Amino acid sequence: MKKYLIALVPVTLLAVMGLRSTSHSAEKNLTVAYKFSEDDLKPTETQKKVEELVTQILTNYHYRRVPLNDSLSSKILDNYIKELDGNKMNFTKQDIQDFEQFRYSLDDQLQKGDLTAAYQIYNIYRKRAKERFTFVNQLLAKPMNFNVDEVYTPDREKAEWASNKQELDEIWRKAIKSTLLDWKISGKADTSAVKDLKERYSRSEKYFDKTKSEDVFQQYMNSFTESIDPHTNYMIPKAAAQFNQEMAQSFEGIGATLRLDGDYVTIIELITGGPAYRSKALKPKDRIVAVAQGENGAFTDIVGWMTDDAVKLIKGPKNTIVRLKILSGDAAVGSVPKEVRLVREKIKLEDGSAKKDILEFTNNGRSYKLGLITLPVFYRDFEGSRKGEGDFKSTSADVKKFLTELKAEKVDGVILDLRNNGGGSLVEAVSLTGLFIPQGPVVQRKHADGEISAEYDRDPSVTYDGPLGVLVNRFSASASEIFAGAIQDYKRGIVVGEQTYGKGTVQTLVDLGRFLKGEPDNVGQLKITMEKFYRITGSSTQHKGVTPDIQLPSGFSAEEYGESSQPSALPWDMIATSKYTPSADVNEQIVSSLNKKYQEHLKSETDLKKLVADFDYWKKAKERKTISLKEDKRRKEIEEQKKRNSQDLAEELADVEKPETKTEVKTDSVSIAQAKQKAAKERREKDAYLKETERLLTDYIFLAPSNGIKITQNKK
């Protein structure tokens, strides 16, 4: 996760503090006997200065204060090799053995501004890749036999490195054969398939040749920064400019941040409120394998494309249609890509305001009226706040208005939906909590220097003190975790859903040009972790996130998604507890009773049983590591998966996307509003997590009738 779930705070500390070099006890030979050839990519003098500067900043001011030593050097080497060749398709075992000479010297080279090892490794990788392109062309000149009973293992991350070139040739032969077989089964003619695959690798080779020295530098520096912390990154000037543009401007497209990961253009982040976000059909780590324009346009294969070129196909004028073939990040081996249809829109980063709905629900023989507030992000107009505008837009102001309206409509309880809410304004997380509790601490912050402070709700009034349910999932993070954790700690409501993401850190953006003035080249930016969040109980939100009171089935494992999936993630720990007074709304007995109710629902409710069955199916499918390269067997594998997709996922995705088509046909505001309202209702009816939260909240109201809504506590 490079740009996903980021909280940024203004940088002031580094601008006034001097930088010092770290001492190192072990003196090593820093000279690498390597001469760059004319065709090699080489580091610039400016890059060497940036390397040394970044090293000083990280070793002196990063929250973790990781010592720059042999242990870190070893991690950097492993990270860099994985970043270059994570699926072990280019390097041989001998190459890896040759790189061992750098295992315990990269730390010293970083301090000295020495980039020789970084570029030597990359240039060897470049040479090996060109050898692979040559081999592919030779292989595609020969016919393939699809009647041989053999298998292919696409995921080689945990495999051994190929012993020699011949073993690597065999791995590539099977990889190419697998692609050709899938295309053959899909109906593509053999000659067309060979032609398209030749073009794919020819295009990849051209992109490879366009790689610049600055691209290698960024890749190596991030192998260093991410050895310390997954949210600390170095951005070359081009990447920094793009990052700043995305933070400040709007653009037309599907609303997704993309990055090249291996051969695939991969979704890193969904922009809140955009078409991709609202479709519910895409998520981080999904890979885009093909793009088509309009309802009937032919798909263009983009595997091996550079991100910038892929984006040109995906972006486009608003109200136009783009169709994507998506290979899910958690897809089983040999999965068939699904098609997702989106209507491009004008995307603004401030989109995604809170929304209010009324839900009618029957449980325990009684009808309930529930308020639903969906919060995609914690937003705040900082400029309006700074100017003292009384009506500046903010999360807490919008939600307060909704709560007042819901009380007037005499709802029996409120659900706050924080699913896929990646965070945002810390101020708003604190203010939102204050709408549900009397004054008190909401979150603690520990700074890089060890100082601990707390953020308080200082308003004694309570906007809403009735039954409350907070719905979270694996992608609820940062500010969402602060709010959900505070509600849970104050025992103010029940938290339902999946374990949250576990991002409990704050990043500062540093313009390196402030330290390296007069350089002929721009030097980029550094995003560095300098704070950590803690709940008022003293428990960190880092790594573990928030564990719901009632934990629903999940298709996302902690090993693959969330902070705990990052090897260099800062650990969970505890500090002292803040002084706070919990309410009596929720207790252990109530939570225990609700979990028993949930176990009963698992046995009786069709939507939950289907959800569990689907997760069990995909879990078993993912355990399969190989796919057949024999045509008749592979056809059976694909047909089985297509049948499952058509039964489960395709219908849901089609229903989600229908409203987009209607808004194109009827463009008046009333028709659009009605279509969106109808679509939202249809989605809620199919939303197993929301339906179960409705059941549990009404069970909670039934079990604790004294918690009925009170509307008197609005005064200061």
PDB file of all heavy atoms in Angstrom, residues 529-557:
ATOM      1  N   THR A 529       6.836   8.589   8.359  1.00  0.00           N
ATOM      2  CA  THR A 529       5.994   8.336   9.526  1.00  0.00           C
ATOM      3  C   THR A 529       6.644   8.937  10.767  1.00  0.00           C
ATOM      4  O   THR A 529       7.792   8.617  11.086  1.00  0.00           O
ATOM      5  CB  THR A 529       5.792   6.824   9.727  1.00  0.00           C
ATOM      6  OG1 THR A 529       5.114   6.292   8.583  1.00  0.00           O
ATOM      7  CG2 THR A 529       4.981   6.526  10.977  1.00  0.00           C
ATOM      8  N   MET A 530       5.868   9.796  11.478  1.00  0.00           N
ATOM      9  CA  MET A 530       6.431  10.477  12.643  1.00  0.00           C
ATOM     10  C   MET A 530       5.536  10.413  13.884  1.00  0.00           C
ATOM     11  O   MET A 530       5.910  10.903  14.943  1.00  0.00           O
ATOM     12  CB  MET A 530       6.728  11.936  12.306  1.00  0.00           C
ATOM     13  CG  MET A 530       7.801  12.088  11.230  1.00  0.00           C
ATOM     14  SD  MET A 530       8.297  13.791  10.939  1.00  0.00           S
ATOM     15  CE  MET A 530       9.180  14.162  12.457  1.00  0.00           C
ATOM     16  N   GLU A 531       4.335   9.817  13.756  1.00  0.00           N
ATOM     17  CA  GLU A 531       3.439   9.693  14.909  1.00  0.00           C
ATOM     18  C   GLU A 531       2.710   8.357  14.861  1.00  0.00           C
ATOM     19  O   GLU A 531       2.631   7.712  13.821  1.00  0.00           O
ATOM     20  CB  GLU A 531       2.398  10.818  14.917  1.00  0.00           C
ATOM     21  CG  GLU A 531       2.931  12.180  15.255  1.00  0.00           C
ATOM     22  CD  GLU A 531       1.803  13.202  15.370  1.00  0.00           C
ATOM     23  OE1 GLU A 531       0.705  12.828  15.820  1.00  0.00           O
ATOM     24  OE2 GLU A 531       2.014  14.360  14.985  1.00  0.00           O
ATOM     25  N   LYS A 532       2.130   8.019  16.016  1.00  0.00           N
ATOM     26  CA  LYS A 532       1.372   6.790  16.131  1.00  0.00           C
ATOM     27  C   LYS A 532       0.120   7.060  16.966  1.00  0.00           C
ATOM     28  O   LYS A 532       0.162   7.823  17.928  1.00  0.00           O
ATOM     29  CB  LYS A 532       2.244   5.717  16.799  1.00  0.00           C
ATOM     30  CG  LYS A 532       1.796   4.281  16.598  1.00  0.00           C
ATOM     31  CD  LYS A 532       2.876   3.340  17.136  1.00  0.00           C
ATOM     32  CE  LYS A 532       2.456   1.890  17.022  1.00  0.00           C
ATOM     33  NZ  LYS A 532       3.482   0.984  17.578  1.00  0.00           N
ATOM     34  N   PHE A 533      -1.008   6.451  16.575  1.00  0.00           N
ATOM     35  CA  PHE A 533      -2.272   6.623  17.291  1.00  0.00           C
ATOM     36  C   PHE A 533      -2.476   5.532  18.335  1.00  0.00           C
ATOM     37  O   PHE A 533      -2.093   4.376  18.121  1.00  0.00           O
ATOM     38  CB  PHE A 533      -3.450   6.559  16.313  1.00  0.00           C
ATOM     39  CG  PHE A 533      -3.600   7.773  15.450  1.00  0.00           C
ATOM     40  CD1 PHE A 533      -3.835   7.636  14.089  1.00  0.00           C
ATOM     41  CD2 PHE A 533      -3.535   9.041  15.991  1.00  0.00           C
ATOM     42  CE1 PHE A 533      -3.994   8.746  13.280  1.00  0.00           C
ATOM     43  CE2 PHE A 533      -3.683  10.163  15.184  1.00  0.00           C
ATOM     44  CZ  PHE A 533      -3.917  10.012  13.830  1.00  0.00           C
ATOM     45  N   TYR A 534      -3.135   5.913  19.437  1.00  0.00           N
ATOM     46  CA  TYR A 534      -3.513   4.959  20.489  1.00  0.00           C
ATOM     47  C   TYR A 534      -4.938   5.253  20.949  1.00  0.00           C
ATOM     48  O   TYR A 534      -5.352   6.419  21.015  1.00  0.00           O
ATOM     49  CB  TYR A 534      -2.565   5.066  21.694  1.00  0.00           C
ATOM     50  CG  TYR A 534      -1.158   4.625  21.402  1.00  0.00           C
ATOM     51  CD1 TYR A 534      -0.265   5.489  20.779  1.00  0.00           C
ATOM     52  CD2 TYR A 534      -0.727   3.342  21.729  1.00  0.00           C
ATOM     53  CE1 TYR A 534       1.029   5.086  20.491  1.00  0.00           C
ATOM     54  CE2 TYR A 534       0.566   2.934  21.445  1.00  0.00           C
ATOM     55  CZ  TYR A 534       1.446   3.815  20.821  1.00  0.00           C
ATOM     56  OH  TYR A 534       2.721   3.421  20.534  1.00  0.00           O
ATOM     57  N   ARG A 535      -5.662   4.199  21.273  1.00  0.00           N
ATOM     58  CA  ARG A 535      -7.002   4.372  21.827  1.00  0.00           C
ATOM     59  C   ARG A 535      -6.910   4.906  23.247  1.00  0.00           C
ATOM     60  O   ARG A 535      -5.830   4.897  23.859  1.00  0.00           O
ATOM     61  CB  ARG A 535      -7.758   3.045  21.774  1.00  0.00           C
ATOM     62  CG  ARG A 535      -8.036   2.604  20.353  1.00  0.00           C
ATOM     63  CD  ARG A 535      -8.465   1.161  20.234  1.00  0.00           C
ATOM     64  NE  ARG A 535      -9.744   0.874  20.883  1.00  0.00           N
ATOM     65  CZ  ARG A 535     -10.472  -0.207  20.626  1.00  0.00           C
ATOM     66  NH1 ARG A 535     -10.040  -1.093  19.732  1.00  0.00           N
ATOM     67  NH2 ARG A 535     -11.608  -0.412  21.252  1.00  0.00           N
ATOM     68  N   ILE A 536      -8.022   5.345  23.788  1.00  0.00           N
ATOM     69  CA  ILE A 536      -7.999   5.908  25.143  1.00  0.00           C
ATOM     70  C   ILE A 536      -7.726   4.838  26.191  1.00  0.00           C
ATOM     71  O   ILE A 536      -7.327   5.147  27.320  1.00  0.00           O
ATOM     72  CB  ILE A 536      -9.308   6.647  25.462  1.00  0.00           C
ATOM     73  CG1 ILE A 536     -10.520   5.743  25.206  1.00  0.00           C
ATOM     74  CG2 ILE A 536      -9.403   7.919  24.642  1.00  0.00           C
ATOM     75  CD1 ILE A 536     -11.840   6.389  25.564  1.00  0.00           C
ATOM     76  N   THR A 537      -7.863   3.558  25.799  1.00  0.00           N
ATOM     77  CA  THR A 537      -7.500   2.460  26.698  1.00  0.00           C
ATOM     78  C   THR A 537      -5.995   2.271  26.751  1.00  0.00           C
ATOM     79  O   THR A 537      -5.497   1.497  27.571  1.00  0.00           O
ATOM     80  CB  THR A 537      -8.137   1.146  26.216  1.00  0.00           C
ATOM     81  OG1 THR A 537      -7.672   0.879  24.880  1.00  0.00           O
ATOM     82  CG2 THR A 537      -9.657   1.241  26.223  1.00  0.00           C
ATOM     83  N   GLY A 538      -5.272   2.944  25.845  1.00  0.00           N
ATOM     84  CA  GLY A 538      -3.825   2.777  25.746  1.00  0.00           C
ATOM     85  C   GLY A 538      -3.413   1.807  24.663  1.00  0.00           C
ATOM     86  O   GLY A 538      -2.228   1.671  24.351  1.00  0.00           O
ATOM     87  N   SER A 539      -4.369   1.112  24.058  1.00  0.00           N
ATOM     88  CA  SER A 539      -4.077   0.140  23.009  1.00  0.00           C
ATOM     89  C   SER A 539      -3.887   0.843  21.671  1.00  0.00           C
ATOM     90  O   SER A 539      -4.687   1.696  21.286  1.00  0.00           O
ATOM     91  CB  SER A 539      -5.223  -0.875  22.898  1.00  0.00           C
ATOM     92  OG  SER A 539      -5.017  -1.747  21.804  1.00  0.00           O
ATOM     93  N   SER A 540      -2.842   0.480  20.951  1.00  0.00           N
ATOM     94  CA  SER A 540      -2.592   1.075  19.645  1.00  0.00           C
ATOM     95  C   SER A 540      -3.620   0.578  18.626  1.00  0.00           C
ATOM     96  O   SER A 540      -4.069  -0.568  18.692  1.00  0.00           O
ATOM     97  CB  SER A 540      -1.188   0.711  19.169  1.00  0.00           C
ATOM     98  OG  SER A 540      -0.975   1.148  17.846  1.00  0.00           O
ATOM     99  N   THR A 541      -4.004   1.455  17.691  1.00  0.00           N
ATOM    100  CA  THR A 541      -4.821   1.008  16.559  1.00  0.00           C
ATOM    101  C   THR A 541      -3.937   0.413  15.464  1.00  0.00           C
ATOM    102  O   THR A 541      -4.447  -0.154  14.505  1.00  0.00           O
ATOM    103  CB  THR A 541      -5.639   2.177  15.967  1.00  0.00           C
ATOM    104  OG1 THR A 541      -4.736   3.222  15.583  1.00  0.00           O
ATOM    105  CG2 THR A 541      -6.640   2.706  16.969  1.00  0.00           C
ATOM    106  N   GLN A 542      -2.625   0.561  15.611  1.00  0.00           N
ATOM    107  CA  GLN A 542      -1.677   0.060  14.625  1.00  0.00           C
ATOM    108  C   GLN A 542      -1.654  -1.466  14.611  1.00  0.00           C
ATOM    109  O   GLN A 542      -1.663  -2.115  15.645  1.00  0.00           O
ATOM    110  CB  GLN A 542      -0.278   0.611  14.921  1.00  0.00           C
ATOM    111  CG  GLN A 542       0.852   0.031  14.103  1.00  0.00           C
ATOM    112  CD  GLN A 542       0.751   0.380  12.621  1.00  0.00           C
ATOM    113  OE1 GLN A 542      -0.053   1.198  12.226  1.00  0.00           O
ATOM    114  NE2 GLN A 542       1.575  -0.259  11.805  1.00  0.00           N
ATOM    115  N   HIS A 543      -1.629  -2.013  13.411  1.00  0.00           N
ATOM    116  CA  HIS A 543      -1.462  -3.440  13.186  1.00  0.00           C
ATOM    117  C   HIS A 543      -2.752  -4.235  13.452  1.00  0.00           C
ATOM    118  O   HIS A 543      -3.238  -4.940  12.592  1.00  0.00           O
ATOM    119  CB  HIS A 543      -0.327  -4.005  14.047  1.00  0.00           C
ATOM    120  CG  HIS A 543       0.407  -5.138  13.403  1.00  0.00           C
ATOM    121  ND1 HIS A 543      -0.070  -6.413  13.404  1.00  0.00           N
ATOM    122  CD2 HIS A 543       1.581  -5.180  12.725  1.00  0.00           C
ATOM    123  CE1 HIS A 543       0.780  -7.199  12.757  1.00  0.00           C
ATOM    124  NE2 HIS A 543       1.780  -6.467  12.323  1.00  0.00           N
ATOM    125  N   LYS A 544      -3.310  -4.111  14.669  1.00  0.00           N
ATOM    126  CA  LYS A 544      -4.497  -4.895  15.010  1.00  0.00           C
ATOM    127  C   LYS A 544      -5.794  -4.238  14.567  1.00  0.00           C
ATOM    128  O   LYS A 544      -6.802  -4.913  14.345  1.00  0.00           O
ATOM    129  CB  LYS A 544      -4.557  -5.139  16.517  1.00  0.00           C
ATOM    130  CG  LYS A 544      -3.546  -6.151  17.029  1.00  0.00           C
ATOM    131  CD  LYS A 544      -3.785  -6.444  18.494  1.00  0.00           C
ATOM    132  CE  LYS A 544      -2.829  -7.496  19.022  1.00  0.00           C
ATOM    133  NZ  LYS A 544      -3.081  -7.816  20.457  1.00  0.00           N
ATOM    134  N   GLY A 545      -5.809  -2.907  14.478  1.00  0.00           N
ATOM    135  CA  GLY A 545      -7.041  -2.220  14.153  1.00  0.00           C
ATOM    136  C   GLY A 545      -8.050  -2.343  15.278  1.00  0.00           C
ATOM    137  O   GLY A 545      -7.699  -2.413  16.456  1.00  0.00           O
ATOM    138  N   VAL A 546      -9.331  -2.385  14.910  1.00  0.00           N
ATOM    139  CA  VAL A 546     -10.420  -2.522  15.878  1.00  0.00           C
ATOM    140  C   VAL A 546     -11.109  -3.855  15.629  1.00  0.00           C
ATOM    141  O   VAL A 546     -11.536  -4.138  14.510  1.00  0.00           O
ATOM    142  CB  VAL A 546     -11.435  -1.369  15.741  1.00  0.00           C
ATOM    143  CG1 VAL A 546     -12.618  -1.580  16.682  1.00  0.00           C
ATOM    144  CG2 VAL A 546     -10.761  -0.028  16.023  1.00  0.00           C
ATOM    145  N   THR A 547     -11.212  -4.667  16.651  1.00  0.00           N
ATOM    146  CA  THR A 547     -11.926  -5.935  16.556  1.00  0.00           C
ATOM    147  C   THR A 547     -13.384  -5.695  16.920  1.00  0.00           C
ATOM    148  O   THR A 547     -13.677  -5.231  18.028  1.00  0.00           O
ATOM    149  CB  THR A 547     -11.328  -6.983  17.503  1.00  0.00           C
ATOM    150  OG1 THR A 547      -9.945  -7.178  17.178  1.00  0.00           O
ATOM    151  CG2 THR A 547     -12.069  -8.305  17.380  1.00  0.00           C
ATOM    152  N   PRO A 548     -14.327  -5.965  16.020  1.00  0.00           N
ATOM    153  CA  PRO A 548     -15.742  -5.695  16.303  1.00  0.00           C
ATOM    154  C   PRO A 548     -16.262  -6.493  17.492  1.00  0.00           C
ATOM    155  O   PRO A 548     -15.735  -7.563  17.819  1.00  0.00           O
ATOM    156  CB  PRO A 548     -16.446  -6.121  15.009  1.00  0.00           C
ATOM    157  CG  PRO A 548     -15.385  -6.089  13.964  1.00  0.00           C
ATOM    158  CD  PRO A 548     -14.122  -6.471  14.654  1.00  0.00           C
ATOM    159  N   ASP A 549     -17.309  -5.968  18.122  1.00  0.00           N
ATOM    160  CA  ASP A 549     -17.979  -6.716  19.196  1.00  0.00           C
ATOM    161  C   ASP A 549     -18.593  -7.986  18.632  1.00  0.00           C
ATOM    162  O   ASP A 549     -18.572  -9.036  19.279  1.00  0.00           O
ATOM    163  CB  ASP A 549     -19.073  -5.847  19.829  1.00  0.00           C
ATOM    164  CG  ASP A 549     -18.511  -4.598  20.468  1.00  0.00           C
ATOM    165  OD1 ASP A 549     -17.589  -4.714  21.295  1.00  0.00           O
ATOM    166  OD2 ASP A 549     -18.989  -3.497  20.130  1.00  0.00           O
ATOM    167  N   ILE A 550     -19.152  -7.885  17.428  1.00  0.00           N
ATOM    168  CA  ILE A 550     -19.689  -9.053  16.729  1.00  0.00           C
ATOM    169  C   ILE A 550     -18.978  -9.111  15.390  1.00  0.00           C
ATOM    170  O   ILE A 550     -19.133  -8.230  14.539  1.00  0.00           O
ATOM    171  CB  ILE A 550     -21.215  -8.979  16.522  1.00  0.00           C
ATOM    172  CG1 ILE A 550     -21.936  -8.825  17.853  1.00  0.00           C
ATOM    173  CG2 ILE A 550     -21.701 -10.234  15.805  1.00  0.00           C
ATOM    174  CD1 ILE A 550     -22.220  -7.416  18.268  1.00  0.00           C
ATOM    175  N   GLN A 551     -18.152 -10.138  15.201  1.00  0.00           N
ATOM    176  CA  GLN A 551     -17.299 -10.232  14.028  1.00  0.00           C
ATOM    177  C   GLN A 551     -17.975 -11.085  12.960  1.00  0.00           C
ATOM    178  O   GLN A 551     -18.222 -12.274  13.165  1.00  0.00           O
ATOM    179  CB  GLN A 551     -15.943 -10.821  14.415  1.00  0.00           C
ATOM    180  CG  GLN A 551     -14.845 -10.518  13.430  1.00  0.00           C
ATOM    181  CD  GLN A 551     -13.459 -10.663  14.054  1.00  0.00           C
ATOM    182  OE1 GLN A 551     -13.322 -10.813  15.257  1.00  0.00           O
ATOM    183  NE2 GLN A 551     -12.433 -10.607  13.233  1.00  0.00           N
ATOM    184  N   LEU A 552     -18.286 -10.472  11.807  1.00  0.00           N
ATOM    185  CA  LEU A 552     -18.986 -11.151  10.722  1.00  0.00           C
ATOM    186  C   LEU A 552     -17.996 -11.882   9.811  1.00  0.00           C
ATOM    187  O   LEU A 552     -16.797 -11.626   9.859  1.00  0.00           O
ATOM    188  CB  LEU A 552     -19.793 -10.128   9.917  1.00  0.00           C
ATOM    189  CG  LEU A 552     -20.802  -9.282  10.710  1.00  0.00           C
ATOM    190  CD1 LEU A 552     -21.632  -8.416   9.766  1.00  0.00           C
ATOM    191  CD2 LEU A 552     -21.720 -10.149  11.559  1.00  0.00           C
ATOM    192  N   PRO A 553     -18.494 -12.787   8.949  1.00  0.00           N
ATOM    193  CA  PRO A 553     -17.596 -13.519   8.042  1.00  0.00           C
ATOM    194  C   PRO A 553     -16.810 -12.559   7.156  1.00  0.00           C
ATOM    195  O   PRO A 553     -17.303 -11.501   6.771  1.00  0.00           O
ATOM    196  CB  PRO A 553     -18.562 -14.367   7.195  1.00  0.00           C
ATOM    197  CG  PRO A 553     -19.808 -14.455   8.005  1.00  0.00           C
ATOM    198  CD  PRO A 553     -19.902 -13.183   8.767  1.00  0.00           C
ATOM    199  N   SER A 554     -15.581 -12.937   6.819  1.00  0.00           N
ATOM    200  CA  SER A 554     -14.736 -12.071   5.998  1.00  0.00           C
ATOM    201  C   SER A 554     -14.052 -12.874   4.914  1.00  0.00           C
ATOM    202  O   SER A 554     -13.613 -14.004   5.137  1.00  0.00           O
ATOM    203  CB  SER A 554     -13.682 -11.377   6.862  1.00  0.00           C
ATOM    204  OG  SER A 554     -12.813 -10.601   6.064  1.00  0.00           O
ATOM    205  N   GLY A 555     -13.957 -12.265   3.735  1.00  0.00           N
ATOM    206  CA  GLY A 555     -13.227 -12.895   2.641  1.00  0.00           C
ATOM    207  C   GLY A 555     -11.808 -12.399   2.525  1.00  0.00           C
ATOM    208  O   GLY A 555     -11.077 -12.794   1.625  1.00  0.00           O
ATOM    209  N   PHE A 556     -11.407 -11.503   3.452  1.00  0.00           N
ATOM    210  CA  PHE A 556     -10.082 -10.895   3.383  1.00  0.00           C
ATOM    211  C   PHE A 556      -9.258 -11.300   4.590  1.00  0.00           C
ATOM    212  O   PHE A 556      -9.560 -10.915   5.720  1.00  0.00           O
ATOM    213  CB  PHE A 556     -10.194  -9.366   3.309  1.00  0.00           C
ATOM    214  CG  PHE A 556     -11.048  -8.888   2.183  1.00  0.00           C
ATOM    215  CD1 PHE A 556     -12.297  -8.354   2.408  1.00  0.00           C
ATOM    216  CD2 PHE A 556     -10.598  -8.994   0.873  1.00  0.00           C
ATOM    217  CE1 PHE A 556     -13.091  -7.928   1.365  1.00  0.00           C
ATOM    218  CE2 PHE A 556     -11.381  -8.574  -0.187  1.00  0.00           C
ATOM    219  CZ  PHE A 556     -12.633  -8.040   0.060  1.00  0.00           C
ATOM    220  N   SER A 557      -8.225 -12.072   4.361  1.00  0.00           N
ATOM    221  CA  SER A 557      -7.392 -12.533   5.458  1.00  0.00           C
ATOM    222  C   SER A 557      -6.393 -11.459   5.866  1.00  0.00           C
ATOM    223  O   SER A 557      -5.982 -10.629   5.048  1.00  0.00           O
ATOM    224  CB  SER A 557      -6.632 -13.803   5.056  1.00  0.00           C
ATOM    225  OG  SER A 557      -5.673 -13.507   4.062  1.00  0.00           O
TER     226      SER A 557
END
